[in-house]
Amino acid sequence: MRADPQSAVLKRLSYRRQNLSRSIPRGSVRRRGEGGGRGGAGRVLPPSAPASSAPRATAAAVMGVAAGRRRRWGVPVLLLAYLGYVGLGAGVLQALERPAEVRAARRLLQQRWELLANHTCLQGPALQRLIQGIIEAYKSGVTLQGNTTSLGRWDFSGSFFFSISAITTIGYGNLSPSTVAGRIFCIFFALFGIPLNLVLLNEIGQLMLLGVQRSAHHLEEMFHWKIKAALLMKTCALVTGLLLFLLLPPLLFSNKEGWTYEESFYYSFITLSTIGFGDYVIGMNPDRTYPSWYKNVISLWILFGMAWLALIIKCCINLLESSSDFCQCNRKSIELSEDEMDDGKKSMTGLHNVESCNDKDTKAGGPGGYHTHTTSTEAL
């Protein structure tokens, strides 16, 4: 009589389990296809080795290599873009400003030769020394007004404004210490003042941001808005900052300094961005009289305006770095791929719920029983 195929398979399965139970310790896991035998007797993993540790380590290594490659190629590309942007600015500025510079130089030489021709008693070297003395005096804050000179750049309000411009790193360049003691003090003053200024600007910016977030939260509670409230408050903060720090102050500068609105707006942005060319500086016109509060108020405007503009620049940097949330999407896709790798590895090795299966087998087999979780295909 021919043996029943089903009974033969069951006998063979029972025989294999009995042989494996003698050699495999309790709680161990056998992986398919990594050992000998027909279905792969497999290798024995210790109970403490997590099933997903190898795939996660591999995924972490892949992510590290990918990040290193992006960083290695990202810096040269960013540097090339930076140099290209600076080169573009240099070319445009040369085309716009070089002709005006040449015309100003020709006009100055023409005026000098006309002065010497009309006043034959003047000598060229003496006139040059006078011009040089006027330039040096202007750098020190002294200008000629008829037969008198104008002072006031180093009074308390002028010194206070200079201190603000020093620790905020604006550095207009139109005024600087002329004594050795003043220069040494300026070094130490800026050494400790610049970090203090950065900390203060950060705190002011955080307070501004906190105010916007709280206002948005109140709007969400009152009108049950979510995305609309946050967007509305950010727009209001942007518009308010533009009005207080960039659009309205030029009106005051136009009135007190005699500048046009375009020149005043240019000064506002150059100051708040800490570029500080020094071609336009408040309170430096000797022909005008300024109120005592003028420079002090402008100093506070600079402080709060820099904090606001720093927030705007930070938002722009975040937008450039995110590139429409590309980094977040890329990270999520990597995590998803890692999870899929883990699931696929578990499916291939039959390790789903392996710990619970081991516990059940241990309970079923008693203190002396040893069982291994395998799939039906692997057992056959």
Side-chain angles (χ1 to χ4, degrees):
M1 294 179 62
R2 296 183 60 184
D4 187 6
Q6 185 175 2
S7 61
V9 170
L10 293 176
K11 288 181 180 180
R12 185 170 58 184
L13 177 61
S14 176
Y15 176 75
R16 291 184 60 186
R17 284 188 175 180
Q18 290 177 1
N19 292 334
L20 289 174
S21 64
R22 296 190 185 96
S23 59
I24 299 176
R26 173 181 294 184
S28 300
V29 178
R30 178 169 57 87
R31 285 192 176 180
R32 179 188 175 192
E34 295 183 358
R38 181 179 177 183
R43 65 183 180 90
V44 177
L45 292 178
S48 60
S52 61
S53 60
R56 290 188 180 276
T58 304
V62 172
M63 291 174 62
V65 172
R69 289 178 179 176
R70 287 197 300 269
R71 189 178 297 108
R72 184 169 61 251
W73 289 105
V75 172
V77 172
L78 186 60
L79 181 60
L80 288 176
Y82 180 84
L83 293 177
Y85 188 78
V86 174
L88 175 63
V92 173
L93 289 174
Q94 181 182 10
L96 295 176
E97 299 296 331
R98 182 65 176 178
E101 181 187 23
V102 173
R103 289 194 299 268
R106 290 176 179 174
R107 184 167 57 251
L108 179 62
L109 287 176
Q110 183 179 359
Q111 291 175 354
R112 181 178 184 274
W113 288 116
E114 288 178 356
L115 180 63
L116 292 175
N118 294 331
H119 301 81
T120 56
C121 59
L122 290 177
Q123 296 180 355
L127 179 61
Q128 186 65 32
R129 286 194 297 269
L130 176 62
I131 295 174
Q132 190 65 31
I134 293 174
I135 294 174
E136 294 296 330
Y138 180 79
K139 289 181 179 179
S140 301
V142 180
T143 57
L144 288 174
Q145 287 181 317
N147 294 326
T148 61
T149 56
S150 65
L151 300 175
R153 292 193 178 185
W154 287 111
D155 57 3
F156 184 79
S157 61
S159 301
F160 186 83
F161 185 75
F162 172 79
S163 300
I164 289 290
S165 65
I167 64 175
T168 54
T169 67
I170 296 176
Y172 289 114
N174 66 313
L175 186 62
S176 59
S178 59
T179 62
V180 176
R183 291 168 181 169
I184 294 176
F185 173 77
C186 187
I187 292 174
F188 289 98
F189 180 75
L191 185 63
F192 294 98
I194 291 175
L196 178 62
N197 175 74
L198 294 177
V199 172
L200 180 60
L201 291 180
N202 182 60
E203 292 297 325
I204 294 175
Q206 293 298 327
L207 284 178
M208 293 180 178
L209 186 60
L210 182 62
V212 173
Q213 292 175 350
R214 286 183 176 178
S215 300
H217 182 67
H218 290 324
L219 286 179
E220 290 177 4
E221 292 181 347
M222 292 175 60
F223 301 101
H224 302 286
W225 293 345
K226 293 183 179 179
I227 300 177
K228 293 182 179 180
L231 181 60
L232 178 62
M233 288 311 304
K234 290 179 181 179
T235 305
C236 291
L238 178 61
V239 173
T240 304
L242 285 174
L243 289 174
L244 291 179
F245 301 118
L246 284 178
L247 298 179
L248 293 181
L251 298 177
L252 176 63
F253 300 145
S254 298
N255 179 261
K256 297 297 181 182
E257 302 292 341
W259 301 335
T260 63
Y261 185 85
E262 178 271 333
E263 292 172 337
S264 302
F265 183 84
Y266 167 79
Y267 165 77
S268 299
F269 181 80
I270 293 300
T271 297
L272 295 183
S273 60
T274 70
I275 297 174
F277 289 126
D279 49 352
Y280 289 92
V281 184
I282 63 163
M284 298 300 172
N285 191 348
D287 298 329
R288 289 182 172 268
T289 303
Y290 301 99
S292 58
W293 53 266
Y294 182 56
K295 289 186 177 180
N296 297 329
V297 171
I298 298 305
S299 299
L300 294 177
W301 166 75
I302 290 175
L303 192 61
F304 286 91
M306 285 179 59
W308 172 80
L309 191 60
L311 283 178
I312 300 301
I313 294 175
K314 183 179 180 180
C315 292
C316 295
I317 292 175
N318 291 336
L319 289 176
L320 290 175
E321 288 182 346
S322 63
S323 299
S324 299
D325 298 332
F326 172 76
C327 296
Q328 295 181 0
C329 295
N330 188 25
R331 183 167 62 252
K332 291 180 179 179
S333 63
I334 293 177
E335 293 175 356
L336 182 60
S337 301
E338 181 182 348
D339 295 336
E340 291 177 355
M341 290 173 60
D342 294 341
D343 295 339
K345 193 69 175 179
K346 291 178 181 178
S347 300
M348 292 173 62
T349 56
L351 295 179
H352 290 292
N353 302 324
V354 65
E355 295 180 357
S356 60
C357 292
N358 287 336
D359 294 338
K360 293 179 181 179
D361 292 340
T362 303
K363 293 180 181 178
Y370 300 94
H371 298 278
T372 305
H373 174 73
T374 57
T375 60
S376 59
T377 307
E378 181 183 356
L380 295 174

